[in-house]
Amino acid sequence: MTKLRLDVVGDPISHSKSPYIHETVLKELGFEYEYRKVQVKKGELSKYLFEAKALGLCGFNLTMPHKTDIIPFLDSIDDEALRLGSVNTVKIKDGKFFGYNTDALGMVYSMEQKGFGAKDKNIVILGAGGVALALALKMAFEGAGKITVLNRTLSSAENICEKVIKENGKNCTALPFEKESLQNAAKGCDILINCTPLGMEGIDADFEDLSFLDNLNQESLVFDLIYNPLETNLLKHAKELGLSTLNGLDMLIYQGLLADEIFLDTKLDLVSLKEKIDYVFKNLKNF
Ligand code: NAP
C-alpha cells in the first residue's frame, strides 16, 4: 500500500492537536501514513506548496495565518469555501490544489450534537477574525434569525456584517467589544460564540467582566471555540449559571474528520471514529 502523506501547516504550529485526529483515523482504516506539523510563516506559502507537490502529498490542513492567503494559489475552490472566504483543507490531485472549508460544518455538527441549531436563533459572536467571519456567514446560511458581532476593532465587525447582509440579507449588527454592548447583546441571545483567544492557554488576557452572562436565557448555549483549556473561565462561569456550554474540541474533531473524507474521497463512519478520537484525547497527558 502506498504511504499517505499529509501535513498541517501554520504558524505557530507546535501546539496543534490535528495529528491526534488524523493519525487515529488513518490507523483505524489501516493506512500507512505520515502526518507532519509544518511551520510556514505568513508570506511563505508558495515555497511550501512547491515542496508539497514535490513530496507527493495527498493534501494538507491549514491553520492560522493561511486560511485566506491560500485562495489565490488554488486551482479550484469548493463553493462553500469560496462563499466563506476561508480554506482549511487542501487536497492535491494530479498536481493540482483543491480547496475546501470544513471548519464551518464542523462547528454546525458540534452544535447539533449538543442539541443546538442556528435556524431562527439570535446569535452573538465575540470577535471578528477569520473564524468569526466564516462562522457568521455559516450561521446566516443555516437560517439564523439575528446575528450580532462584537469586536475590539469595530470596523472588522462592521465588515463581517456587511458581508453577511450582502450574501444573505440577514439582520446583522456590529457593536464594540465593551461592557455595555455585551450586556445588551446578551439579552435575548440564544447562542453566544467566543471567537476571540481570551482565556486561551498561552494568551495573557481573559474576559475582565463576565456579568453579561447573567443576561442570557437559561436555555442559551455558550460556545467557546477554545479547546485549550477545555474549560475556560467563560465556560466555567456559564456552567455555574446553569447554562449549556460547549468547548472547541468537538469542532476541531469534526473539521478533521470531514477533511479526511475529502483526502480519502470516501464517506467515513463519523460516529465511531469520533468515539475513538474522544478516547485518544481523554487519555492525553497534559490536556
Ligand atoms: P484571529 O483572526 O486572529 O482573530 C482574533 C479575534 O480576537 C479578533 O477579532 C481580535 O480582535 C480578537 N481579540 C484578540 N485579542 C483580544 C483581546 N485581548 N480582547 C478582545 N478581543 C481580542 O483568530 P481566528 O483565526 O479567528 O481564531 C479565533 C479563535 O478561534 C482562536 O482562539 C482560535 O484558537 C479558535 N479556533 C478554534 C477552532 C476549533 O476548531 N475549535 C478553529 C479555528 C479557530 P481585533 O480585531 O480587535 O484584533
Side-chain angles (χ1 to χ4, degrees), residues 214-231:
D214 296 337
N215 289 356
L216 294 171
N217 309 317
Q218 272 304 296
E219 297 73 35
S220 309
L221 172 69
V222 178
F223 182 8
D224 198 332
L225 295 200
I226 293 169
Y227 52 83
N228 195 5
L230 291 172
E231 189 171 79

Side-chain angles (χ1 to χ4, degrees), residues 169-192:
K170 281 285 170 205
N171 178 346
C172 189
T173 310
L175 294 174
F177 189 79
E178 289 167 3
K179 185 172 177 177
E180 201 185 333
S181 343
L182 281 162
Q183 302 267 9
N184 288 333
K187 286 179 199 150
C189 160
D190 299 302
I191 302 173
L192 182 133

Side-chain angles (χ1 to χ4, degrees), residues 64 67 103 127-132 151-153 156 177 195-198 200 205 225-227 248 251-252 255:
M64 253 175 35
K67 290 184 185 184
D103 280 332
V131 173
N151 197 44
R152 189 173 60 173
T153 310
S156 311
F177 189 79
C195 299
T196 78
L198 289 173
M200 188 162 88
L225 295 200
I226 293 169
Y227 52 83
M251 172 176 164
L252 182 81
Q255 65 76 29

